[in-house]
Amino acid sequence: MNKGIQFRRDLVFIGFILPAFLGYLIFYLYPMLATFLYSFTDWTGYRKEIHFVGLKNFVKLFQDEDVTIGIKNSVVYALAMTIFQNGLAIPLAVALHRPLKTRNLLRTIFFVPAILSPMVVGFLWSYIMSATDHGVLNQVLVSFGLNKVNWLGNPKLALYSVIFTQVWQWTGYAMVIYLANLQGISKELYESAGIDGTNGWQNFWYITLPMLIPSITFNTVMSMIGGLKVFDVIFAMTNGGPGHATETIVMTLITKGITQAQYGYGSAFAVVFSLIIMLITFIQLRVLKRWEEKLF
């Protein structure tokens, strides 16, 4: 090949790659490295003077009660989201995989909440769960002769009320992933099992569920990560309250790093938070991989 033609092709290739590489460098790699470096300083985010403080921010982090509460709430939120979202999405996908006349309509109905903004969902459910006379959910309870419930103002209920709204929003999304996987399972497997006299439950347990492992892995990992870094819907519904009942890791990070002008401390929190997500994701993948190896 002519060297001139090859050189022009290389320039075209570089021209396509360069914008994406620069975007990655400027908006991801540089902020990540800068955050890591700032985590060892006392920078407030406003003043020019920056002093190296070593591991002081990290030591302070593990002694901060607010951080402990944020981590606890985020872990509870993420675990509940992962369990209930996928626990509902799998049987829902199996049911809507059957040749029902209304299955396309039902699929659409269950998926629609997933296309809404979490902020919109948060404000919508704040109105529905309002403790005032305008709260739709409390109006329903009163109509049945029951007492009103302060869904978002009760510290014991607030976090679980938010979790309910997010399970409602994202179960349809997980359902679609499982449906795509179900459509790839060969019907011959069920026909062969039918010849051996298996029933519906045995087909699900020994054929459907093992074949859904790739989707289970994807959905559980994504729901766990999404649960750990949740911010928008909680900001819209409770703003972390009442008290610290629904304050999550990201909300605590923003409060410490930006609102309270402790950028160095907030950076240390971000580094630890990233490590927590990496560790949990690694454990999830290892456990699911072992499960897959045992089944196959």
Side-chain angles (χ1 to χ4, degrees):
M1 182 182 294
N2 186 284
K3 290 184 177 180
I5 296 176
Q6 182 63 43
F7 178 71
R8 287 194 294 272
R9 287 186 176 181
D10 291 342
L11 284 179
V12 172
F13 175 77
I14 293 172
F16 278 111
I17 295 297
L18 190 58
F21 176 74
L22 289 175
Y24 173 81
L25 186 66
I26 295 171
F27 297 108
Y28 180 79
L29 190 60
Y30 171 73
M32 184 177 66
L33 293 175
T35 299
F36 179 75
L37 294 175
Y38 284 134
S39 68
F40 298 99
T41 71
D42 64 351
W43 188 39
T44 64
Y46 300 100
R47 69 168 187 252
K48 294 182 179 180
E49 297 83 7
I50 301 177
H51 303 99
F52 179 77
V53 296
L55 297 176
K56 183 179 178 180
N57 288 329
F58 293 93
V59 173
K60 179 183 176 182
L61 187 66
F62 291 101
Q63 298 173 344
D64 193 331
E65 185 178 351
D66 292 341
V67 172
T68 304
I69 293 173
I71 292 175
K72 177 186 174 182
N73 288 338
S74 293
V75 170
V76 170
Y77 179 96
L79 284 173
M81 276 291 297
T82 302
I83 293 170
F84 288 107
Q85 178 183 318
N86 291 281
L88 292 171
I90 291 175
L92 189 60
V94 171
L96 296 183
H97 184 59
R98 298 177 180 275
L100 303 173
K101 291 183 179 180
T102 59
R103 68 176 182 176
N104 290 332
L105 175 62
L106 292 172
R107 289 175 181 180
T108 303
I109 292 172
F110 283 110
F111 181 71
V112 163
I115 67 176
L116 299 175
S117 164
M119 291 292 286
V120 171
V121 171
F123 288 124
L124 172 65
W125 278 98
S126 293
Y127 177 77
I128 294 173
M129 293 182 170
S130 174
T132 66
D133 293 335
H134 300 291
V136 177
L137 196 53
N138 277 327
Q139 287 182 12
V140 173
L141 292 177
V142 171
S143 67
F144 283 98
L146 301 173
N147 295 325
K148 293 181 181 180
V149 177
N150 193 356
W151 301 102
L152 302 177
N154 186 335
K156 295 181 180 179
L157 291 177
L159 183 61
Y160 300 102
S161 297
V162 176
I163 290 170
F164 171 81
T165 67
Q166 290 305 280
V167 171
W168 171 83
Q169 180 177 14
W170 296 111
T171 295
Y173 174 84
M175 175 202 71
V176 170
I177 303 297
Y178 290 125
L179 276 171
N181 197 159
L182 285 170
Q183 291 171 1
I185 300 176
S186 175
K187 294 181 180 179
E188 294 178 358
L189 294 174
Y190 297 103
E191 293 172 356
S192 299
I195 294 173
D196 294 331
T198 59
N199 56 36
W201 172 251
Q202 290 172 325
N203 286 341
F204 173 78
W205 188 255
Y206 294 107
I207 299 176
T208 305
L209 193 60
M211 297 299 289
L212 285 177
I213 287 181
S215 297
I216 293 173
T217 301
F218 176 81
N219 277 329
T220 54
V221 169
M222 294 304 293
S223 58
M224 179 64 74
I225 293 175
L228 288 172
K229 63 185 184 69
V230 65
F231 168 76
D232 39 18
V233 69
I234 289 182
F235 178 78
M237 293 185 70
T238 64
N239 197 24
H244 298 282
T246 59
E247 192 167 292
T248 60
I249 293 177
V250 177
M251 295 196 74
T252 307
L253 192 157
I254 292 173
T255 300
K256 299 290 183 180
I258 299 176
T259 307
Q260 298 180 5
Q262 302 180 65
Y263 195 90
Y265 183 56
S267 297
F269 195 179
V271 170
V272 173
F273 179 37
S274 299
L275 293 174
I276 289 173
I277 289 181
M278 291 172 62
L279 177 61
I280 292 176
T281 303
F282 174 77
I283 293 173
Q284 272 189 282
L285 291 174
R286 291 285 294 179
V287 170
L288 290 168
K289 184 178 180 181
R290 288 186 179 181
W291 183 34
E292 185 175 358
E293 289 173 350
K294 287 182 180 179
L295 291 174
F296 293 99

